[in-house]
Amino acid sequence: MWALFRIMVSATLTGVATPFYLHWADQQSEIQLDKMQKAVHFTPGAEPPLPNEVLAGAVGLGVSHFAVGRALRLGWLEAFLSLIIGIMLGVGVFLYRMAGEEP
């Protein structure tokens, strides 16, 4: 019973953080694409398509999820399950918000 509660708490925290991360990563990627388009005539291939900050943020989100899982005394399988559930919830919220922004 308590294990299920801890899994849901961990998944909820990840589900809350994921939409914010995805929104920020989307903005950073758009900025990076603009930089790439401006630099295409002068330095071809000099700009990576995905900024390092976005990759570091993804790693940080994953590491913080497992740190919270350890604090909640979740096993690795339980923490991984809550990560999958949290990501699915977060992506769902992100897509729902994106659909609401479209005209």
Side-chain angles (χ1 to χ4, degrees):
M1 174 77 171
W2 284 108
L4 182 61
F5 177 73
R6 292 190 307 249
I7 289 172
M8 297 297 11
V9 167
S10 178
T12 301
L13 291 173
T14 301
V16 168
T18 301
F20 292 108
Y21 167 74
L22 289 175
H23 180 68
W24 172 78
D26 182 45
Q27 290 176 339
Q28 295 299 313
S29 297
E30 290 295 326
I31 292 169
Q32 188 69 11
L33 285 175
D34 290 341
K35 284 182 187 178
M36 289 173 63
Q37 288 175 347
K38 289 178 183 175
V40 73
H41 297 293
F42 305 110
T43 55
E47 297 287 334
L50 195 60
N52 293 333
E53 295 85 9
V54 173
L55 296 174
V59 170
L61 186 62
V63 168
S64 64
H65 171 80
F66 283 105
V68 168
R70 296 307 305 160
L72 292 172
R73 294 178 297 154
L74 294 177
W76 289 106
L77 183 61
E78 295 166 332
F80 183 72
L81 178 65
S82 69
L83 176 67
I84 298 300
I85 293 169
I87 288 174
M88 288 178 7
L89 288 172
V91 168
V93 169
F94 177 75
L95 292 175
Y96 179 76
R97 287 182 184 171
M98 291 293 288
E101 291 178 5
E102 296 296 321

